[in-house]
Amino acid sequence: MLLDQITTDAPDALLVVAKITPLNYDAGNTRVEAYNDAMLALVESRVAAGKHIRLVDMYAPFVADPSFKTSLLADQWHPNPAGYAVMSGVWYEAIKGYLR
């Protein structure tokens, strides 16, 4: 698995993995939520094994906005500029403690 290859090849690096953002249709989001839940379990098992890996949640900040389907998404899958701004804030909060 890619997570294992990266943490093996660079054991001192911090690997930051993100849950994916929601889609603009509910049936798709059922699958996105299942995928994101699976990512959580994968990351947690590696953290428990002492790997330097962190999961950031890109899904929850989107769905916190009731109009995310139109206010944060450009199409069925991709964020619009406002959505990318949300993502950049999440990324920054996740890594700011590691920046010098």
Side-chain angles (χ1 to χ4, degrees), residues 44-56:
E44 285 178 341
S45 69
R46 281 144 183 90
V47 169
K51 303 296 182 181
H52 301 264
I53 186 168
R54 182 164 183 197
L55 183 69
V56 295

Side-chain angles (χ1 to χ4, degrees), residues 31-67:
R31 293 191 312 269
V32 168
E33 290 170 358
Y35 176 87
N36 286 341
D37 289 345
M39 288 304 301
L40 176 62
L42 291 172
V43 168
E44 285 178 341
S45 69
R46 281 144 183 90
V47 169
K51 303 296 182 181
H52 301 264
I53 186 168
R54 182 164 183 197
L55 183 69
V56 295
D57 190 349
M58 293 292 169
Y59 189 90
F62 272 66
V63 297
D65 177 349
S67 64

